[in-house]
Amino acid sequence: MRSGQGRRASSRGRGATASAIGSVAAIALIAGCGVFGSEEPEEQAQPSGSTVSAEAGTSPIAVGECINDPGLEDHSDIPVIPCDERHVFEAFAATRMPDGDYPGQGEANAAATEFCAEEFRSFIGVDHDASVLELLYFYPVEESWEVRGDREILCLVAEQEETPVTGTLRDAAR
């Protein structure tokens, strides 16, 4: 795995359990997951022409923003799309894992699973196990934890079968 990458996990509704499905860049949202670039902030262009400042330990994707592709190798150049435009994934929650030694991939995945499932209930209005919507999350891996200070868990939601939508899925209650 390249430096700065994390693990992506996905879970479908109706009682599916989250499982790691591939390596991707660990997304570092508002809680700072040190995945991107150098210690200096960098500007990243968005399709609308605006930019997002990505400081060390942060992601260019913020809660309330949307994307089409979470990336399979490096998410530092994923275009952020306004949620009122057609998109697949909506970032709905983020948290920062406590500093200290890397807890291990299993614990990082478990922390992401627990946090995102709870936030899913608050955001969507039903438990994830009862929902048809898909839950995707990113969590830090040891290398990104050590090299970039990556501590962030980022939660995203998608329509069933990752069907593109326009607008938010907040309070979808399904």
Side-chain angles (χ1 to χ4, degrees), residues 88-154:
V88 177
F89 300 99
E90 178 178 357
F92 69 91
T95 192
R96 182 174 169 86
M97 295 182 69
D99 286 334
D101 292 336
Y102 183 65
Q105 184 175 328
E107 190 172 320
N109 185 24
T113 301
E114 183 179 332
F115 173 75
C116 292
E118 183 63 32
E119 294 298 313
F120 185 94
R121 181 181 318 107
S122 297
F123 186 77
I124 299 299
V126 297
D127 286 337
H128 177 253
D129 289 345
S131 178
V132 297
L133 301 177
E134 297 182 23
L135 173 61
L136 174 85
Y137 51 82
F138 295 90
Y139 58 89
V141 295
E142 186 170 12
E143 186 175 358
S144 65
W145 184 281
E146 298 296 331
V147 173
R148 305 280 189 218
D150 181 3
R151 303 292 187 272
E152 187 166 50
I153 294 169
L154 175 69

Side-chain angles (χ1 to χ4, degrees), residues 26 28 43 68 76-77 79 81 85 92 130 139 146 156 159 166 172-173:
E43 294 295 314
N68 279 325
S76 63
D77 61 352
I81 302 165
E85 294 181 16
F92 69 91
Y139 58 89
E146 298 296 331
L156 298 109
E159 183 61 74
T166 301

Side-chain angles (χ1 to χ4, degrees), residues 34-46 50-61 74-78 148:
V35 180
F36 303 98
S38 67
E39 295 298 316
E40 296 298 317
E42 60 183 78
E43 294 295 314
Q44 298 189 356
Q46 293 184 33
S50 62
T51 59
V52 173
S53 177
E55 296 179 22
T58 64
S59 169
I61 303 168
D74 181 3
H75 75 281
S76 63
D77 61 352
I78 294 174
R148 305 280 189 218

Side-chain angles (χ1 to χ4, degrees), residues 157-169:
V157 64
E159 183 61 74
Q160 191 172 14
E161 297 181 17
E162 297 179 5
T163 303
V165 298
T166 301
T168 183
L169 289 172

